[in-house]
Amino acid sequence: MTREILRVGAPSLSRVAAEVVDVTDPAVRRDAADLREALAAFRAAHGFGRAIAAPQIAIDRRMIALAVPGWPDVIVNPEIVWTSDERVTLWDDCMCFPDTLVRVSRYASISVRCVDLSGAVHLKAQLPLAEAELLQHEIDHLDGKLSFDRAVGEHAIVQRDVFDADRAAFARQVDYCPQP
């Protein structure tokens, strides 16, 4: 059964998620399956979405499902262990507000340590920008933060249809704008 993705304003989106103590716990495994299913359903419905954090579907655990080559499909207790000095601005989108984009500032690169569902520890060092911004966004969810909390500059919030109608103009307002 696919859990609904919470929308902006849901109180649980502003809470810090609980650390996962035992990745073999059957409840953790069920929640991980729900997380993977929610990501697949969102991708099928909206055509985008590389990751989803557990709090986005009302699971109070530090877990993220990923659809990113080279990563486990679910990571547990991710932590940023290094950040670049360089920062970039970009238009951030989110499953909790799929019709809106927010201009934010993120580190250009980060290193992340996490655990997979087998208990293996992973260190992903000096991530390329596309992965770095994604992981920062998802870890923000685990810490009770949304893109709106990181908005920068005037007119930092734009509706997706307005953005799509003049993508080139909006791309000129940021340092990084991935292709659709």
Side-chain angles (χ1 to χ4, degrees):
M1 176 168 117
T2 302
R3 295 190 194 203
E4 292 297 314
I5 295 171
L6 300 176
R7 296 293 182 200
V8 170
S12 60
L13 290 174
S14 62
R15 290 194 289 266
V16 175
E19 184 174 335
V20 175
V21 177
D22 178 5
V23 294
T24 66
D25 180 333
V28 169
R29 298 299 181 121
R30 281 191 302 274
D31 286 347
D34 286 354
L35 199 53
R36 285 189 297 264
E37 185 178 325
L39 178 58
F42 185 90
R43 288 170 60 87
H46 296 277
F48 75 94
R50 298 172 290 159
I52 185 170
Q56 291 178 269
I57 59 170
I59 294 174
D60 182 29
R61 297 190 198 277
R62 294 189 77 78
M63 297 190 317
I64 299 169
L66 294 161
V68 178
W71 284 81
D73 61 346
V74 174
I75 60 173
V76 178
N77 298 331
E79 62 178 316
I80 297 172
V81 295
W82 173 83
T83 60
S84 64
D85 291 333
E86 181 185 2
R87 294 183 68 92
V88 296
T89 55
L90 61 111
W91 289 104
D92 202 9
D93 57 10
C94 182
M95 295 175 181
C96 295
F97 45 90
D99 298 323
T100 306
L101 288 99
V102 181
R103 186 177 41 242
V104 300
S105 176
R106 301 258 187 222
Y107 293 104
S109 182
I110 61 172
S111 295
V112 174
R113 182 175 32 239
C114 59
V115 176
D116 66 23
L117 291 173
S118 73
V121 176
H122 298 263
L123 176 62
K124 299 287 193 166
Q126 298 182 351
L127 294 173
L129 181 54
E131 289 180 21
E133 66 89 5
L134 174 66
L135 270 291
Q136 288 171 83
H137 174 101
E138 298 306 331
I139 291 171
D140 271 357
H141 276 298
L142 301 180
D143 293 335
K145 302 278 185 213
L146 293 174
S147 300
F148 297 108
D149 299 318
R150 304 242 185 253
V152 294
E154 289 186 45
H155 312 292
I157 300 168
V158 63
Q159 290 302 116
R160 184 174 292 276
D161 59 343
V162 173
F163 180 91
D164 289 341
D166 198 358
R167 188 179 224 316
F170 285 104
R172 287 191 296 273
Q173 297 175 20
V174 295
D175 302 312
Y176 171 71
C177 191
Q179 295 301 312

